[in-house]
Amino acid sequence: MALEHAILVSLAEKTASGYDLARRFDASIGHFWKASHQQIYKVLGRMESDKWVEAHLVEQSGRPDKKVYAITGEGRDELLRWSSTPTPIEPTRSEIAVKVRGLPFGDREAVLSDVRTRREAHVAQLAYYEASAAKHYPDPSAIGEDELGAYLVLRAGFMQEQTGIAWCDEILQAFGADER
Amino acid sequence: MALEHAILVSLAEKTASGYDLARRFDASIGHFWKASHQQIYKVLGRMESDKWVEAHLVEQSGRPDKKVYAITGEGRDELLRWSSTPTPIEPTRSEIAVKVRGLPFGDREAVLSDVRTRREAHVAQLAYYEASAAKHYPDPSAIGEDELGAYLVLRAGFMQEQTGIAWCDEILQAFGADER
DNA sequence: ATTCCCATGTAATTAGTTACATGATTCG
DNA sequence: CGAATCATGTAACTAATTACATGGGAAT
């Protein structure tokens, strides 16, 4: 129910084609809301019939034509309405936590090696967030109101990766598998 | 694809009826893998035909009969096999992050009040994990190998709630809305 | 009387994933 | 010559949610 709203936020910031949106959902927005291009095209169609967005065709030379979507007044109304409804807490689903919990019934070495891999992914993602923050917000005290939301979700990502690393370290330490 | 395995882990620890499992997925296991009773009954049926679990009927007086499920040898094999496959990283989906990102297009006060509510939920959950740790693992240095997995996922919950609280505080502080 | 606990399911719908499909251009 | 980028979709399937359905016993 919320991919629609994630798309609305993205289009409120800047008009985009389905393809553009798919790329945004691979990067910035995608850090906290993933979506495939197939899903995006499907939802965009629904949103167009709901009049939340409107498309106009842009002909291009040398590359395929594209449909550029823009948010409508009704779309903005919907964003405002949605922003003031209470947000349900998403149920957590962590397959690696199930594996850790079930360690006595599993392949210990394989799970620990999985944890090591996960730790590396967290480290890489943390570095990415760090670079992104340094590039876009070199002076955190100078962040304007309009950028604050984007900055804060970057912070969320940053903090989550740190926590992920710390958890992996606890696991590896607990099993005496933290030396490399 | 992994509810099956969460159920296998739970049944490897102790046999249970669908109803019992549903309660476990409301509590312990449910902290990192949510599932409704409808879904559990459906999956249990599939798992029975796959011979991963077997059921025997327990007649009760004064309350409805129940089907008690136990993991089979094949189920244990599957658990072991699954534990040594690489775990994909779950895509994050945080509706509140979308709202924070879209703050310039939303109802600021409503979103901040939503963040305050979310903070309280994190605090309550943290207290729950704290109490649970104090009860089950009063002496962390005395935790045995067989309990270690369960303890570590409790730690994950604990750390995640702490991070959640810290993020909420950053948001409220950034918008100068942190006084109550 | 009403609500909660025990106990098990089916049916309908929505959301999301995976696979399939096409075709031009640009870069190495 | 092959891979990547740009660009848009359909079709089939799986997973999950929501709603519906039943019924006895115990506690307030």
Side-chain angles (χ1 to χ4, degrees), chain A:
Chain A
M1 264 278 125
L3 174 57
E4 278 91 335
H5 297 103
I7 290 177
L8 282 179
V9 168
S10 196
L11 289 181
E13 289 172 350
K14 203 168 185 301
T15 60
S17 65
Y19 186 84
D20 295 331
L21 284 168
R23 275 187 315 169
R24 288 185 202 169
F25 278 82
D26 272 344
S28 53
I29 307 266
H31 299 313
F32 48 92
W33 203 277
K34 295 265 178 255
S36 62
H37 71 100
Q38 293 92 330
Q39 207 188 335
I40 288 168
Y41 284 118
K42 208 191 298 179
V43 170
L44 272 175
R46 194 160 64 214
M47 290 169 78
E48 202 180 354
S49 9
D50 289 345
K51 307 269 171 64
W52 290 359
V53 298
E54 50 188 24
H56 67 272
L57 206 78
V58 174
E59 281 170 53
Q60 299 186 118
S61 57
R63 40 182 69 180
D65 297 350
K66 60 179 174 180
K67 277 201 249 174
V68 174
Y69 289 89
I71 190 169
T72 62
E74 276 178 74
R76 286 187 187 273
D77 291 347
E78 172 55 27
L79 248 190
L80 195 65
R81 188 205 60 75
W82 168 76
S83 81
S84 57
T85 60
T87 312
I89 290 168
E90 287 89 12
T92 319
R93 287 228 167 86
S94 170
E95 194 171 331
I96 203 158
V98 178
K99 277 185 189 165
V100 169
R101 165 77 178 245
L103 253 168
F105 318 109
D107 179 335
R108 179 175 149 155
E109 269 322 303
V111 174
L112 289 178
S113 128
D114 209 15
V115 170
R116 263 179 235 113
T117 306
R118 171 76 53 129
R119 188 189 187 281
E120 278 167 46
H122 283 310
V123 168
Q125 196 58 34
L126 186 67
Y128 169 86
Y129 287 138
E130 226 155 14
S132 186
K135 189 185 167 196
H136 296 291
Y137 317 99
D139 179 8
S141 64
I143 295 169
E145 283 254 327
D146 50 324
E147 297 173 305
L148 207 44
Y151 174 73
L152 285 166
V153 297
L154 191 66
R155 285 287 306 157
F158 190 87
M159 291 161 89
Q160 258 163 46
E161 299 305 330
Q162 281 186 321
T163 305
I165 292 169
W167 187 55
C168 289
D169 285 341
E170 273 198 21
I171 297 168
L172 297 173
Q173 219 171 55
F175 286 95
D178 54 331
E179 54 264 35
R180 265 144 277 158

Side-chain angles (χ1 to χ4, degrees), chain B residues 79-90:
Chain B
L79 250 189
L80 196 64
R81 188 205 59 75
W82 168 75
S83 81
S84 56
T85 60
T87 312
I89 290 169
E90 287 88 12

